[in-house]
Amino acid sequence: MNTDPIVLEIVEGTLASVEREVETAIARTARSPMIRDAHDFRAGIHDRRLRKLTGRSYSALVQPIARDFPLDTMRPGDVFFHNDVYLSEGGIGHLPDLCVTVPVFHDGVVVAFVQAFGHHDDIGGSVPGSMPSHARSVFEEGLMVPPIRLWDQGVPNAAAIKIMTRNSRMPDSLAGDLDAECSACLMGARRLGELFDRYGRETVEGCFDAILDNTTSTFRTEILAKIPDGTFTWEDYAEHDGVDPPRLHTQRITLTKTPEKIIIDFTGTSPQAKGPINHAGDYADGVFLKKWLAPVLRNLADTPERMAELDVNEGVVPLIEMIFPEKGTLLTPIFPAPTNARTFVILRLLGVLAGVLAKATGGRMPADQETIRYTGVHGSDAGGEPYLMREVLGGGSGGRYYADGEDTIHVVPDSRNIPVEFAEARWPFIVERLGLAADSGGAGEFRGGLGYDKHLRMLRDAHYMSIADRSILSCWGVNGGAAGRPFLVTIDGREMEGLVDAEPVKAGEVIRIRTTGGGGWGDPLGRDPGRVAADVRDGKVSSAGARDDYGVVLIGETQVDEVATGQLRARLLAERGPAPFFDRGPGYRLLSGGRDRADVD
């Protein structure tokens, strides 16, 4: 149907407003620091055909709810719940991600869905936080809940909530967070119902179609047109799975571009791991992964401003075809393979797609980034009560062909580190430092963004925990840029592995956390010496780093010695020769038997 452009604008704005209002309500009323303060959650709006309409953030899927509960059996006030990875159609990655879904009604018929899912503190399992780093089975990771009706026509299912909170080490936080999410989604459903009441179902659904069609058309003409037709292959790796010794766990993409779409073939991805780094992504034709990976394509937009304007909703799905290998790989694990550290795969795939597009487009894509890892401590406070502090710390993004990478960004929209004042008031430690990790960003004509440098001094004996990758491998540099520095945690000089469940920490000891820096873009010997001097002045690059990585000689701390810099750069270039297109860093040499690059590089 022909859609009134003014009504279309109102409908699109209302969807964005409702999504934001739902998220604001959750943040204001949730109980746990992970949801309320770190904001590791997101909302989404879907139509009755289960298509995601909003594009500011990724979300879970409605498919598992509609599969188990036909739409004509749903009633106003119903709230559906699930967190079962293997029954989520690929929309849930690990058990701490709890998902609530509320149907929207108009004239007694389901017309849309409002959904929220987030990472909760604890859902049971063998370790606090429900992310055992050495798990060999999903049964060790917590309570699995298939799709259920959590609220029935406005009445909460007290028995189900009692079972879930009984299995959690943080029952009050879990109950409070669930109540916040259910109530916020019910409010969002009422808001969306008002839109249908105002304009009628036919008009609103016509606008839904127009929104998605516009995304399809925009990505086809503005983004896919930038990729040359042909076939390109690249791969990257997770480095450990918590069970076997460190090695290269391959994630490979062969991308074929045709005039109509891109085909992403994951053949060549490694067998499923014994430990918890698997991601069950091959369900529903990979519809979740299509929407998860599509934001990478936005980097091909003509300008950064245009890139920021492009939403990723269900409209991208027709443009992407996915081919999965047989069951039993990192992306097609067989139940009950563990999945709690699936970020090692699902985040790496963002970089693999960026890498294969860099090959296809002559380096137009950003260098690599790894912007999520879980660190934390758990123990007992002065009153003898158990506590769990877990934080999702970001890292530096990769340098781009037009700008340096961003410092300490978070992959989850609007998420953040936990405020120092709140942390020190709630938990028995002092945050002695929270700043940027100098020299962590990969050197380049455009430097990689910096990671965090955070120091915690414990006031009571406790245990340190982390789920983190890139502790050996680095975020790769591209088009001559250098790799960034990897994740590093030391406790009074003891270097930690990336996967840790319960490392003892004594009162008075300091946990020093350095998160990953993004890879560099372009030859660092081509970076403007004045910008290098400014980085030294700002504490982002050391004087030694300026000399060794960029060939810039300084007089004092910020004045460039032009003559000495020219001589040093000429000598470094002669010794080094042409910079490689990809730089994977020294960790790759360590795990690959001394090789500097992979065959696909």
Side-chain angles (χ1 to χ4, degrees), residues 413-429:
D414 297 330
S415 68
R416 62 203 68 175
N417 62 67
I418 294 177
V420 170
E421 298 82 359
F422 170 81
E424 292 184 340
R426 181 168 181 138
W427 297 304
F429 59 73

Side-chain angles (χ1 to χ4, degrees), residues 82-219:
H82 73 291
N83 78 324
D84 190 318
V85 171
Y86 288 93
L87 294 179
S88 72
E89 302 292 335
I92 297 295
H94 58 185
L95 296 182
D97 282 348
L98 309 184
C99 181
V100 298
T101 305
V102 173
V104 179
F105 288 84
H106 175 70
D107 290 340
V109 177
V110 174
V111 291
F113 296 90
V114 178
Q115 189 179 75
F117 88 113
H119 189 120
H120 291 247
D121 274 341
D122 190 279
I123 193 68
S126 61
V127 302
S130 309
M131 296 179 68
S133 63
H134 306 295
R136 290 174 174 262
S137 164
V138 71
F139 295 109
E140 301 173 54
E141 298 178 321
L143 183 67
M144 292 178 282
V145 183
I148 63 171
R149 198 187 308 262
L150 188 63
W151 287 33
D152 188 347
Q153 299 182 71
V155 180
N157 184 334
I161 295 172
K162 188 174 184 179
I163 290 170
M164 285 190 279
T165 55
R166 179 60 174 167
N167 277 273
S168 174
R169 296 170 178 85
M170 303 289 159
D172 293 340
S173 290
L174 179 59
D177 289 350
L178 277 175
D179 187 62
E181 290 160 349
C182 293
S183 299
C185 286
L186 286 165
M187 177 271 297
R190 291 194 298 272
R191 296 282 190 270
L192 205 54
E194 293 166 1
L195 182 68
F196 282 87
D197 293 341
R198 180 178 182 184
Y199 292 107
R201 175 174 167 181
E202 183 180 10
T203 296
V204 174
E205 290 191 337
C207 291
F208 290 172
D209 290 338
I211 290 168
L212 301 185
D213 289 345
N214 181 59
T215 296
T216 304
S217 175
T218 299
F219 270 77

Side-chain angles (χ1 to χ4, degrees), residues 378-492:
H378 56 90
S380 298
D381 61 22
E385 294 296 318
Y387 73 88
L388 167 65
M389 187 288 291
R390 186 173 54 187
E391 188 170 26
V392 184
L393 282 176
S397 69
R400 299 156 284 183
Y401 68 90
Y402 57 88
D404 292 343
E406 300 286 347
D407 302 325
T408 60
I409 69 165
H410 293 238
V411 72
V412 178
D414 297 330
S415 68
R416 62 203 68 175
N417 62 67
I418 294 177
V420 170
E421 298 82 359
F422 170 81
E424 292 184 340
R426 181 168 181 138
W427 297 304
F429 59 73
I430 295 172
V431 181
E432 293 192 339
R433 172 175 168 77
L434 177 62
L436 299 177
D439 291 328
S440 59
E445 180 182 354
F446 295 103
R447 173 182 46 74
L450 274 59
Y452 280 104
D453 184 26
K454 187 167 188 176
H455 300 176
L456 308 179
R457 183 176 295 276
M458 300 306 302
L459 301 179
R460 296 178 57 84
D461 292 354
H463 292 87
Y464 164 78
M465 62 189 302
S466 74
I467 295 288
D469 203 16
R470 294 298 200 205
S471 60
I472 301 174
L473 299 173
S474 301
C475 295
W476 42 265
V478 70
N479 203 34
R485 290 195 177 180
F487 177 77
L488 176 66
V489 174
T490 61
I491 301 177
D492 270 21

